[in-house]
Amino acid sequence: MSLRILSLLTLAVSALSAADTGTKFDYRVLATNKTSTMEKEINEAAAEGYVFAGAMGGESAFRGNQMVTVMKKDINQPVTGRRYKVLATVKTSTLAKELNDAGKEGFAYCGQTIYSTTFGGREVALVLEYNPENKGTRIEYKLAATARTSTMQKELSPAGEQGFLFQGVVVGNTVFGGSEVISILQKSVREAHLQASR
């Protein structure tokens, strides 16, 4: 999807939202082929009151494969204090570690995409958000991986019984270096509960 089409879609959504609620939104479209650059630009937008709205990876009209992120801001009530991390990897084990490291700092899942890197590979990019209103909350992550969608039920049910909430799924032959279906789950744990259980 080209950036021109994406911009038209976000403008259409903005118009519909404003008509329905009277609220006015401003949008910022960010595009880059480096996840480190995307994280920097997302946080710069967040410092101006924008919050994450969505992400997509794909080929843009002029600059090849990019990660495109849309940020939104309620003009009358801009949000402050949000921070973001962008994690990108091709290995399930690496992703699980990075997710839980970020979760210890209170970063919660808020979006994902797959895109082709400048080196010819494919990466999963996850966007995580820290909300200061949830201070004292730790996020625990679990990845349920299977080579067959028919066995996904067996992977998800035990995680659900442990209180993990499904957030997203990634499917692809080249993702993570193998043919896998990866389900991303998370649960919130308050620090007070953690101390009481020790």
Side-chain angles (χ1 to χ4, degrees):
M1 180 182 294
S2 71
L3 295 180
R4 178 184 175 88
I5 294 174
L6 183 61
S7 297
L8 291 174
L9 287 174
T10 55
L11 287 174
V13 171
S14 177
L16 288 172
S17 299
D20 290 343
T21 65
T23 303
K24 294 183 179 180
F25 295 96
D26 186 30
Y27 292 94
R28 180 167 296 179
V29 178
L30 309 174
T32 180
N33 54 18
K34 293 183 179 180
T35 51
S36 58
T37 303
M38 180 57 71
E39 181 174 295
K40 177 177 179 290
E41 293 183 358
I42 287 176
N43 281 298
E44 288 174 349
E48 297 178 29
Y50 291 85
V51 296
F52 177 84
M56 176 61 71
E59 189 170 348
S60 63
F62 303 105
R63 297 187 178 180
N65 287 291
Q66 293 184 309
M67 178 178 175
V68 178
T69 299
V70 178
M71 305 289 287
K72 66 180 179 181
K73 177 169 69 173
D74 184 330
I75 294 176
N76 297 320
Q77 295 182 323
V79 175
T80 58
R82 301 283 176 94
R83 290 185 289 125
Y84 295 90
K85 284 183 182 290
V86 179
L87 305 181
T89 182
V90 294
K91 293 183 180 180
T92 312
S93 58
T94 302
L95 181 60
K97 180 182 184 303
E98 291 183 353
L99 275 172
N100 280 294
D101 286 346
K104 291 175 183 177
E105 300 175 31
F107 282 87
Y109 171 97
C110 64
Q112 71 183 52
T113 187
I114 300 173
Y115 77 107
S116 297
T117 68
T118 53
F119 301 104
R122 294 187 68 198
E123 287 187 328
V124 171
L126 299 182
V127 181
L128 309 179
E129 179 185 74
Y130 173 78
N131 185 344
E133 294 179 3
N134 297 328
K135 186 177 181 180
T137 298
R138 191 184 78 182
I139 309 298
E140 292 185 9
Y141 289 94
K142 183 181 287 291
L143 299 184
T146 177
R148 298 181 179 180
T149 54
S150 60
T151 61
M152 185 185 296
Q153 182 79 42
K154 295 178 181 179
E155 296 285 341
L156 290 177
S157 292
E161 291 173 0
Q162 295 171 22
F164 284 89
L165 180 64
F166 175 85
Q167 298 295 319
V169 64
V170 179
V171 183
N173 291 328
T174 58
V175 177
F176 301 110
S179 181
E180 289 184 315
V181 179
I182 310 295
S183 296
I184 303 161
L185 305 99
Q186 73 175 31
K187 70 176 177 179
S188 301
V189 182
R190 296 290 299 176
E191 289 297 336
H193 174 72
L194 287 171
Q195 294 172 3
S197 63
R198 288 172 182 167

